[in-house]
Amino acid sequence: MTQVETTTVELHTKKITTLLWLTFAVCFLGNVLGGTASTLMSVYLPVLVKDFLGIVDEAQVSRVSAYISGFYFIGWAFGGLALGAIGDRIGRVRSLALSIGLYGLFTFLIAFATSWEMVMLFRFFCGFGVGGMLVINTTLLSETWPEKTRAIFIGILSIGFPVGIFSSGAVNFFVSSWRQGFMMGLIPLVLGIISFGLLQESAKWKTSRNQPKENKTNETIRVHRADIINGSIIFGSMLIGLWAIFSWVPTWVQSLLIHSDGQRERGLSMMLLGAGGLSGGFLSGWVSNSLGTRKAMLLCFSGCFILSFLLFKLNSSFTTITIIEIASLSFMFGISQGLLSVYIPLLFPVSIRATATGLCFNAGRFFTAAAVFFVGVLVTTLGGYGNSLFTFSLVFLVGLLFLLFSKKTID
């Protein structure tokens, strides 16, 4: 039996140790804080942009808002690609600590920005760190957690981001000053620093690094190119729809509230997105084990499209129905993120796993950045935020198509 086979057998039978619980805790907290750092800009964006621009027309506010949101996703994409490759070279733990510390630092620096251009630059590097963190922590758990409960705990890991989204809504609800709100970046900065000495490296990664090169002839990006393309489109189609909606829901909600400043409603909408995603992600592991990952993902893509139609085409005011539909849509998002986090990394061998996962997770983010940008730009052309958001939800149908060509995973 080879070293790799021995390590795989151990993962089937080993117990969850204190060290594994600590690893999960750091990964989960990294996700929570990453979700907060990511969506905190969405809830403060209307106020922040107007603080820098003063009294200007709505079209200019939309353009600047789109630049800030778009640059964040460009940074996220580059970070996922670069830090994924770095994770295959220097190890999962060191690259995870680097990622968390990076997005914490640049979230904190936004509190001291003196122009919207500076905010845009800081958001790029914040996205860079978040993108890397989401690739590495999923890869680390997929290689270290016992197989029997792996899907369940990776699903639970995925709810960390919705918890962070909920937290961003709560921050906005209680903290009106955006500068004070972004000071929360100190928390992930400290977590990233102390993570270097807390966690133990993946045994699978160590074993893979010690393999002779001649044993890795089938473990290259080129050999797995078709799987990377398919995985990128599946993950990217959900990502585009999800983030176009998450980034602009507060602004869409504001457009429904003609005679209100909308602070509480915007905060409530983000908390709903977080709460629905939290419950969906928590259940995703059990859904995966019960239905099979592929069938469950097909149901999620279908549900997201139908709920997007109901939400953005049939609501002209903020009502109880709106609240229910936002929560239901985010529930589907939550399940999908748990399922995709289980499915994508296990398509690839350990030696290229973080790099390939980074490509799948982040190739679509370049299109996501464009989608987030064009939601704002096309508002006038398409007749409002609701029409613009529904147009971009058509991407869920693309995910349905490519799921038909998806393959079984490997360990």
Side-chain angles (χ1 to χ4, degrees), residues 66-76 120-121 123-125 127 369:
Y67 288 136
I68 292 173
S69 297
F71 264 72
Y72 176 78
F73 288 106
I74 293 172
W76 188 328
M120 185 173 67
L121 178 64
R123 285 295 284 175
F124 173 88
F125 286 109

Side-chain angles (χ1 to χ4, degrees), residues 118-151:
M118 187 178 293
V119 171
M120 185 173 67
L121 178 64
F122 290 163
R123 285 295 284 175
F124 173 88
F125 286 109
C126 177
F128 194 93
V130 169
M133 179 271 301
L134 290 174
V135 170
I136 300 300
N137 66 7
T138 304
T139 303
L140 177 60
L141 282 189
S142 72
E143 294 175 359
T144 58
W145 206 264
E147 184 185 19
K148 185 177 181 180
T149 55
R150 180 191 294 153

Side-chain angles (χ1 to χ4, degrees), residues 54-384:
I55 302 175
V56 294
D57 63 273
E58 196 64 30
Q60 187 175 353
V61 172
S62 294
R63 281 196 298 271
V64 172
S65 299
Y67 288 136
I68 292 173
S69 297
F71 264 72
Y72 176 78
F73 288 106
I74 293 172
W76 188 328
F78 278 112
L81 295 172
L83 289 167
I86 290 170
D88 280 334
R89 290 180 176 273
I90 70 172
R92 314 313 193 198
V93 170
R94 283 185 286 181
S95 53
L96 177 63
L98 175 63
S99 301
I100 295 173
L102 193 64
Y103 77 71
L105 173 63
F106 283 97
T107 297
F108 177 70
L109 290 177
I110 290 173
F112 305 96
T114 57
S115 68
W116 70 263
E117 292 89 351
M118 187 178 293
V119 171
M120 185 173 67
L121 178 64
F122 290 163
R123 285 295 284 175
F124 173 88
F125 286 109
C126 177
F128 194 93
V130 169
M133 179 271 301
L134 290 174
V135 170
I136 300 300
N137 66 7
T138 304
T139 303
L140 177 60
L141 282 189
S142 72
E143 294 175 359
T144 58
W145 206 264
E147 184 185 19
K148 185 177 181 180
T149 55
R150 180 191 294 153
I152 292 172
F153 277 87
I154 291 180
I156 294 173
L157 174 68
S158 74
I159 74 173
F161 214 83
V163 170
I165 295 170
F166 181 90
S167 299
S168 71
V171 170
N172 177 248
F173 194 85
F174 293 108
V175 181
S176 60
S177 169
W178 63 266
R179 291 190 184 275
Q180 292 178 8
F182 280 104
M183 288 184 180
M184 62 74 55
L186 279 175
I187 302 173
L189 177 59
V190 172
L191 178 65
I193 293 171
I194 65 176
S195 294
F196 279 104
L198 283 178
L199 307 184
Q200 182 175 307
E201 189 53 75
S202 160
K204 276 193 171 185
W205 177 80
K206 289 180 179 179
T207 301
S208 176
R209 293 290 290 176
N210 292 330
Q211 277 188 286
K213 288 186 178 180
E214 55 268 24
N215 292 351
K216 300 181 181 180
T217 53
N218 292 323
E219 298 183 3
T220 65
I221 295 297
R222 179 172 294 183
V223 170
H224 290 270
R225 180 171 54 190
D227 296 327
I228 290 171
I229 292 172
N230 208 40
S232 297
I233 293 174
I234 292 169
F235 192 91
S237 60
M238 178 59 71
L239 194 72
I240 290 170
L242 187 158
W243 277 104
I245 290 169
F246 271 39
S247 295
W248 289 98
V249 155
T251 306
W252 171 72
V253 168
Q254 184 67 59
S255 72
L256 302 179
L257 302 166
I258 301 174
H259 303 296
S260 171
D261 65 5
Q263 178 188 343
R264 290 181 177 272
E265 288 84 358
R266 293 196 313 271
L268 177 60
S269 70
M270 294 306 292
M271 287 191 284
L272 288 169
L273 288 171
L278 187 155
S279 55
F282 183 82
L283 294 173
S284 64
W286 286 278
V287 172
S288 176
N289 289 343
S290 298
L291 300 179
T293 304
R294 187 181 305 169
K295 183 183 293 185
M297 286 194 294
L298 286 168
L299 291 174
C300 282
F301 278 90
S302 302
C304 286
F305 174 73
I306 293 169
L307 285 165
S308 294
F309 172 79
L310 295 175
L311 181 62
F312 298 117
K313 296 296 290 183
L314 302 182
N315 284 283
S316 58
S317 60
F318 193 83
T319 66
T320 302
I321 296 298
T322 311
I323 292 172
I324 293 171
E325 290 170 354
I326 291 174
S328 299
L329 180 58
S330 66
F331 180 75
M332 286 291 183
F333 283 151
I335 294 178
S336 72
Q337 294 308 290
L339 296 172
L340 290 167
S341 295
V342 171
Y343 179 74
I344 297 295
L346 297 180
L347 288 173
F348 310 103
V350 174
S351 62
I352 63 166
R353 181 166 290 165
T355 302
T357 300
L359 286 167
C360 291
F361 279 14
N362 293 283
R365 296 197 195 279
F366 293 101
F367 298 101
T368 302
V372 171
F373 175 81
F374 281 110
V375 168
V377 170
L378 295 179
V379 167
T380 303
T381 303
L382 297 177

